[in-house]
Amino acid sequence: QAQLVESGGGLVQAGDSLRLSCAVSGGSLDINGMAWFRQPPGKEREFVAALRWRGGGTWYSDSVKGRFSISRDRASGAILLQMNNLNPDDTAVYYCAAGRPIVSTATTARGYSYWGQGTQVTVSS
């Protein structure tokens, strides 16, 4: 059973950068991909970015494409989300997810079995 712990959230100003990290422990053999989702205030959870290291593939939502970058630290197994040129619309609780997604489920919550508790990102204008 994998456990995920996010870190790196905080309060920043528009135009700033922030890097989120998601540490994984246990159950690593049951995982071949990870993703970030976010839930803005008063809205539903939405897909942000995903990476699959067995089978390949990276995916980004249109709203973050060109500004955010997802990567994996091979030494630690952690998933990173580099967020540049942040704007107030990026304000949300960011969740890390892990599982065995296939191409058709990589951008959906049902593609992932394990979830972190979330980290708050607030962008002021």
Side-chain angles (χ1 to χ4, degrees), residues 13-17 84-87 123-124:
Q13 294 185 332
D16 285 352
S17 297
N84 298 326
N85 193 22
L86 286 160
N87 62 64
V123 185
S124 63

Side-chain angles (χ1 to χ4, degrees), residues 31-48:
I31 296 170
N32 72 349
M34 295 181 71
W36 289 93
F37 290 75
R38 67 185 182 187
Q39 187 166 15
K43 297 183 179 180
E44 294 186 351
R45 192 173 300 188
E46 62 185 29
F47 168 76
V48 176

Side-chain angles (χ1 to χ4, degrees), residues 96-117:
C96 173
R100 299 183 62 82
I102 57 177
V103 173
S104 62
T105 63
T107 62
T108 68
R110 62 189 177 95
Y112 303 91
S113 303
Y114 307 105
W115 292 81
Q117 294 300 307

Side-chain angles (χ1 to χ4, degrees), residues 4-102:
L4 310 181
V5 179
E6 303 98 335
S7 61
L11 172 64
V12 297
Q13 294 185 332
D16 285 352
S17 297
L18 206 57
R19 189 175 77 167
L20 303 182
S21 179
C22 177
V24 185
S25 62
S28 61
L29 296 179
D30 193 33
I31 296 170
N32 72 349
M34 295 181 71
W36 289 93
F37 290 75
R38 67 185 182 187
Q39 187 166 15
K43 297 183 179 180
E44 294 186 351
R45 192 173 300 188
E46 62 185 29
F47 168 76
V48 176
L51 169 67
R52 200 174 61 160
W53 52 86
R54 285 197 287 274
T58 55
W59 296 265
Y60 295 94
S61 68
D62 288 342
S63 62
V64 307
K65 198 173 295 182
R67 299 188 299 122
F68 290 13
S69 177
I70 188 171
S71 61
R72 181 174 182 240
D73 185 310
R74 290 191 176 187
S76 66
I79 280 288
L80 309 175
L81 184 68
Q82 178 66 42
M83 305 185 294
N84 298 326
N85 193 22
L86 286 160
N87 62 64
D89 289 338
D90 296 316
T91 294
V93 177
Y94 283 72
Y95 296 91
C96 173
R100 299 183 62 82
I102 57 177

